[in-house]
Amino acid sequence: MTPTTSRADPSPTRPRPRLPAWTATLTWKAAVFITVMCCALAALLGALVHVSVANQTVGQARDRALGRLDEATQAYEAGARLGPLAGIDPPGLPDSLHRLAAGGDRGTMVSSRAKAPTMWAAGPIDGKRVLAVEIDYSQGARTIDGLDRAIVGSSVLAIGATLLVGAFAVTRVTRRLHATARVARRISGGDLDARVGDPRTRNPARPQDEVAAVAGALDSMATSLQRKLLSEQRFTADVAHELRTPLTGLHAAAELLPPGRPTELVRDRVAALRTLTEDLLEISRLDARSERVDLDDNWLGPLTERVVRGSGTETEVVVVRDVCVLTDRRRLERVLGNLVANAHRHGSPPVVLTVDGPVITVRDHGEGYPDYLVEGGPQRFRTEGGTKGHGLGLTIALGQAKVLGASLRFTNAEDGGALATLTLPYDDHQP
């Protein structure tokens, strides 16, 4: 048998640490960028100033030291007495400078003698001996240290001031962007009257920045969209309204036809056309937001039973907890009636209407709602699977629920079937 080798499963990769959500904001990114750039600029300028001043200070001290070395050399050659700060092979002379001078060259060097900065100057005399002088370099060292502290302090102040000014400027921009985003969300939620109204867009002659351009484009888009939707709503309302008069005459004429199968078919189609026209008118009123509610206290248990009796369907009513809510009875019955009718028309029995406090659910045991309806809600004149209908029943139910201030969600049950959940506004202090 061929031997086999097995490898242990690699250890699961550890998730990469993520930064907090606030670090993704434009304000934070701008603050980091400004801080980094200010620090880099301050470091560059500070280094240039430090090098320039240090070279100047050291150069002046070196010239003084070399001048004194010349004086000491002349005094030594003349046989005069050397000054107190001059000597031959002094013990404090740095070794590197001593070797340089012993080799025949002159040089200077800053060292710390007795914890005090000292500038040394040395040159050769009499073969390998070295004549050296020293001067106090404390003032020069203090000058450079003070300069460094001033550079650091001024850099910190400059960075802080620049950061505050930059954060203020960026915050003004981000505040306008947040306002534009809020208006965009309101428009997507159906509030077509929402506008950004950026003052920079009101005067076309005024120079506009990018944020103002975005705000102006959003306002123009909302105005155009509102104009098109209003045009479509007026068209739908006008068509439905104009159809009512001929349909009324057609219905009256159908009633005069002699009994028979053709007459029944004509009456059935006329009734369906009248229902469609009334639904279109109702949707037009809902789109125009001209509906007004007539609120009253209603117990949900008896109300749902009355809706089921009126539908003429075999729908089971389950009251888990009955409550009294302040709502518009006619509109609530319209919503529940449409949900029950849709469950019987497109689903499969049994259909169960459940009341659990202010939450009412209507469930069937069919194939469930289509994906587009679950994800985006009902769409008028759209159905799937070859089912009959115009997609107006659920559209009206959703619109009437919004008028009531209720929430209507369409989902599919885990074990199959469509599930509509209506949540009514409810105050626990209500009777």
Side-chain angles (χ1 to χ4, degrees), residues 264-307:
E264 294 179 359
L265 293 176
V266 171
R267 291 176 179 175
D268 179 71
R269 292 299 89 196
V270 170
L273 190 56
R274 290 188 65 183
T275 301
L276 175 60
T277 303
E278 295 298 329
D279 288 345
L280 289 175
L281 285 173
E282 185 173 359
I283 289 177
S284 299
R285 291 192 297 268
L286 291 173
D287 289 339
R289 299 181 181 180
S290 60
E291 298 290 290
R292 297 293 181 268
V293 293
D294 183 13
L295 300 179
D296 196 6
D297 292 329
N298 294 273
W299 287 93
L300 295 182
L303 186 146
T304 54
E305 293 176 355
R306 185 166 56 251
V307 169

Side-chain angles (χ1 to χ4, degrees), residues 368-375 384 412:
Y369 292 120
D371 293 338
Y372 81 88
L373 194 150
V374 174
E375 295 174 359
E384 290 188 356
N412 290 321

Side-chain angles (χ1 to χ4, degrees), residues 227-430:
R227 188 181 299 112
K228 291 180 180 180
L229 289 178
L230 290 177
S231 177
E232 293 180 1
Q233 291 172 8
R234 284 195 297 267
F235 175 77
T236 303
D238 293 343
V239 169
H241 187 270
E242 293 297 328
L243 285 175
R244 296 184 72 178
T245 300
L247 282 176
T248 301
L250 187 59
H251 177 74
E255 294 296 329
L256 299 177
L257 294 176
R261 181 59 179 170
T263 301
E264 294 179 359
L265 293 176
V266 171
R267 291 176 179 175
D268 179 71
R269 292 299 89 196
V270 170
L273 190 56
R274 290 188 65 183
T275 301
L276 175 60
T277 303
E278 295 298 329
D279 288 345
L280 289 175
L281 285 173
E282 185 173 359
I283 289 177
S284 299
R285 291 192 297 268
L286 291 173
D287 289 339
R289 299 181 181 180
S290 60
E291 298 290 290
R292 297 293 181 268
V293 293
D294 183 13
L295 300 179
D296 196 6
D297 292 329
N298 294 273
W299 287 93
L300 295 182
L303 186 146
T304 54
E305 293 176 355
R306 185 166 56 251
V307 169
V308 170
R309 287 196 302 268
S311 67
T313 60
E314 295 183 0
T315 303
E316 180 183 359
V317 178
V318 178
V319 180
V320 178
R321 180 170 65 95
D322 196 7
V323 294
C324 182
V325 298
L326 184 64
T327 187
D328 189 322
R329 178 184 59 82
R330 181 182 64 84
R331 297 185 188 280
L332 180 56
E333 290 179 350
R334 175 67 162 157
V335 173
L336 296 179
N338 283 11
L339 295 178
V340 171
N342 183 83
H344 283 280
R345 182 179 299 113
H346 302 290
S348 300
V351 176
V352 181
L353 189 153
T354 304
V355 178
D356 188 0
V359 179
I360 304 175
T361 59
V362 178
R363 179 189 175 184
D364 62 54
H365 290 76
E367 297 180 357
Y369 292 120
D371 293 338
Y372 81 88
L373 194 150
V374 174
E375 295 174 359
Q379 301 179 17
R380 60 193 70 176
F381 297 107
R382 177 175 179 179
T383 56
E384 290 188 356
T387 57
K388 296 181 179 180
H390 305 285
L392 300 181
L394 295 183
T395 303
I396 293 175
L398 183 60
Q400 294 289 7
K402 290 181 179 179
V403 174
L404 295 175
S407 170
L408 180 57
R409 295 187 302 110
F410 300 97
T411 57
N412 290 321
E414 295 181 357
D415 54 348
L419 177 64
T421 304
L422 177 67
T423 304
L424 296 168
Y426 177 67
D427 187 358
D428 293 336
H429 299 289
Q430 290 180 225

Side-chain angles (χ1 to χ4, degrees), residues 175-188 194 218:
R175 189 183 300 115
R176 294 166 59 197
L177 288 175
H178 286 311
T180 304
R182 286 194 299 269
V183 172
R185 286 190 290 267
R186 289 174 56 189
I187 294 175
S188 64
L218 179 62

Side-chain angles (χ1 to χ4, degrees), residues 92-114:
L93 184 64
D95 294 339
S96 58
L97 183 58
H98 187 279
R99 289 192 298 269
L100 177 67
D105 296 323
R106 301 176 67 188
T108 60
M109 183 176 182
V110 177
S111 68
S112 178
R113 181 179 182 184

